[in-house]
Amino acid sequence: MASQPERPVLLTGWGRTAPTAARVVRPRSAAQVARALAEAGPRGVLARGLGRSYGDAAQAAGGTVLDCTELTGPIRLDADRGEVTVPAGVSFERLIAHLLERGYFVPVTPGTRQVTVGGAIAADVHGKNHHADSSLGAHVRSLTLAAPTGETLTLTPDGGDAELFRATLGGMGLTGVVTEATLAVLPVETSYMRVDTDRTDSLDATLDLMSRTDADYRYTVCWVDLLAKGSAMGRGVLTRADHAGPRDLPPALRRDPLRHRAGSPLAAPPWAPPGLLNSWTVGAFNAVYRGAAPRRRRGEAQPIAGFFHPLDAVRGWNRLYGPHGLVQYQFVVPFGAEDTLVRIMEGLSRAGAPSFLTVLKRLGEGTGGHLSFPRPGWTLAVDLPAGLPGLGRMLRRFDELLLAADGRLYLAKDGRADAETVHAMYPDLPAWRKVRERVDPDGVLVSDLARRLRLL
């Protein structure tokens, strides 16, 4: 096993709030994972990937955190079966590059390549194609789980322990440590997307256009401007896309259509002052960003990296929120509850909430994971400075609106909700607990999120 510092290490989520200290070990094999689980201390153990959960989901105060980023090895593509088997510590960045060279793509990707396969399964991540393809869990053909009981389990959707498989999808790493997974893959002809773009002038226009046209595309997402005033509030830039074929590319790109152009990221400054992102600076950014987008453009060829992961172009962009960090508030409300969506967006606008990243999508069917977030409806994700005055009070009001509308928060993004609220949002929590108690009777696996939300 790699270096095991005796002194605890301070860890946070991507939001850089609520740091806690834990002993960090770095297993390089499934056997080392099993040994770490067997040697768990009284404060428990938790697996961690690349630390892109925003809140406290990948922290275990006083316990042991397994940094699984060295749990890597060969990626095995089986083209005949249309699937790839990959160690859980492999990043999406490496997996996507490996697959594209061979004419394949991942079935689902979140908004960053900087996540591990194991972390993505634990959060049951979704992407811009959820309305068409559901979340990652729908494409997991099997996974290998190191259980706290010492067993190594191979789980499939229809196998003998399908309940544990369901509990692990979106189970936030609390049912065991995923050490390997086999995923379905998507054949592609190029490393480009064929993108249609429309600028909208109001929130009503944004919702209407998305409702009418999402089904025509595999991937859709809308960037929304909540700082625009009056009838312009909620105006946006809607991008919808499908994978491009060679004929969609300019002649110069057709010679090597699968070449992956991720580029080298720029680095954000190591430090930013509090208040750098405020309603004035973000409002100016939003106006420039929207103004630079075409009012209507069809068939633009965009590199996969630019379409799916634009923020990966700036390494450490979360530091721009300053020393207090950021909170990402992501929720889903069912179709038919658009009034709740609009009320929350209007509330954010009235508060002058300075978010340069406000993303609206439509979700389709979920995977059946007990704690998996996606369900049919509208999902909004908004990044907010953690030091914004009145933020906690405002978000608690939004939580109440969500509860009344049968909505829910995304656990992988949360770092501030209360237990009662989350319990009401996830009615399958009791069933998930029963499965968990069977595979972890001594309560070895634990996280700060699990303690805060009393999930166990």
Side-chain angles (χ1 to χ4, degrees):
M1 206 172 304
S3 59
Q4 302 181 20
E6 295 299 322
R7 296 171 56 184
V9 177
L10 209 57
L11 299 171
T12 71
W14 188 244
R16 301 172 70 221
T17 59
T20 57
R23 175 174 174 261
V24 175
V25 299
R26 297 180 176 83
R28 291 176 174 165
S29 67
Q32 291 182 351
V33 170
R35 192 171 74 197
L37 290 173
E39 295 173 350
R43 294 289 291 179
V45 177
L46 182 73
R48 178 183 173 100
L50 285 163
R52 288 302 180 107
S53 294
Y54 278 68
D56 49 3
Q59 298 169 224
T64 299
V65 168
L66 307 183
D67 178 340
C68 292
T69 55
E70 296 182 16
L71 199 61
T72 61
I75 298 171
R76 308 190 299 278
L77 174 66
D78 186 334
D80 292 336
R81 297 175 63 88
E83 63 187 32
V84 64
T85 299
V86 56
V90 169
S91 70
F92 265 50
E93 180 169 70
R94 180 183 163 203
L95 179 60
I96 287 172
H98 182 92
L99 291 177
L100 279 177
E101 288 179 3
R102 293 157 177 81
Y104 292 91
F105 191 57
V106 291
V108 169
T109 177
T112 174
R113 301 184 298 276
Q114 304 305 323
V115 296
T116 61
V117 170
I121 292 172
D124 195 12
V125 297
H126 62 278
K128 298 175 175 66
N129 59 334
H130 193 277
H131 66 289
D133 297 320
S134 192
S135 50
L136 182 65
H139 307 275
V140 177
R141 295 189 174 173
S142 70
L143 61 86
T144 304
L145 192 74
T149 53
E151 300 170 282
T152 298
L153 305 169
T154 300
L155 306 176
T156 62
D158 304 314
D161 204 340
E163 276 297 289
L164 181 54
F165 181 87
R166 283 183 59 204
T168 301
L169 303 180
M172 307 309 294
L174 297 167
T175 61
V177 179
V178 178
T179 57
E180 185 177 82
T182 297
L183 312 175
V185 292
L186 180 69
V188 295
E189 297 179 287
T190 77
S191 62
Y192 285 81
M193 306 301 295
R194 183 180 63 250
V195 182
D196 290 351
T197 302
D198 285 279
R199 237 169 41 191
T200 62
D201 296 325
S202 68
L203 181 56
D204 286 346
T206 299
L207 299 179
D208 176 66
L209 187 58
M210 293 181 73
S211 298
R212 285 191 292 107
T213 65
D214 265 16
D216 298 335
Y217 299 84
R218 187 165 207 149
Y219 303 95
T220 73
V221 64
C222 189
W223 171 90
V224 179
D225 183 3
L226 293 182
L227 287 176
K229 301 301 181 187
S231 62
M233 194 283 293
R235 63 187 183 179
V237 178
L238 175 60
T239 51
R240 294 148 296 172
D242 291 291
H243 289 277
R247 294 184 177 180
D248 298 314
L249 306 183
L253 298 178
R254 293 177 191 170
R255 289 192 289 271
D256 191 6
L258 288 170
R259 183 182 174 191
H260 181 40
R261 296 170 170 82
S264 300
L266 303 172
W271 180 86
L276 174 65
L277 297 181
N278 53 55
S279 59
W280 189 89
T281 57
V282 175
F285 169 86
N286 286 358
V288 171
Y289 178 83
R290 182 179 178 279
R295 174 161 288 280
R296 186 178 189 277
R297 183 168 59 197
R298 293 292 179 268
E300 181 193 14
Q302 289 187 11
I304 273 179
F307 178 77
F308 287 105
H309 312 119
L311 285 176
D312 283 350
V314 182
R315 187 171 59 245
W317 61 264
N318 56 340
R319 294 195 295 266
L320 296 175
Y321 282 84
H324 300 303
L326 76 148
V327 170
Q328 184 170 99
Y329 191 73
Q330 181 169 3
F331 65 86
V332 58
V333 291
F335 294 125
E338 284 78 7
D339 286 352
T340 298
L341 173 69
V342 172
R343 287 181 68 183
I344 291 176
M345 295 174 81
E346 289 176 341
L348 288 163
S349 180
R350 280 195 301 273
S355 173
F356 71 87
L357 185 68
T358 303
V359 173
L360 183 64
K361 295 193 292 261
R362 289 162 57 88
L363 302 182
E365 294 297 325
T367 58
H370 304 85
L371 300 186
S372 181
F373 165 72
R375 58 180 301 183
W378 296 89
T379 182
L380 184 79
V382 53
D383 285 355
L384 300 164
L388 186 69
L391 179 64
R393 187 168 58 252
M394 179 174 68
L395 297 185
R396 284 192 292 275
R397 286 201 305 273
F398 295 165
D399 291 348
E400 293 171 3
L401 293 174
L402 292 178
L403 283 173
D406 197 20
R408 65 171 51 153
L409 297 166
Y410 190 5
L411 297 182
K413 305 294 182 68
D414 180 63
R416 34 69 51 189
D418 61 62
E420 290 75 14
T421 297
V422 169
H423 291 188
M425 290 175 170
Y426 285 87
D428 287 343
L429 177 60
W432 178 82
R433 282 174 170 158
K434 286 185 180 178
V435 178
R436 198 198 111 80
E437 287 166 5
R438 174 164 56 83
V439 294
D440 187 12
D442 297 324
V444 169
L445 293 164
V446 68
S447 67
D448 289 358
L449 175 140
R451 289 188 174 109
R452 174 172 55 84
L453 297 179
R454 300 202 298 273
L455 297 180
L456 309 179

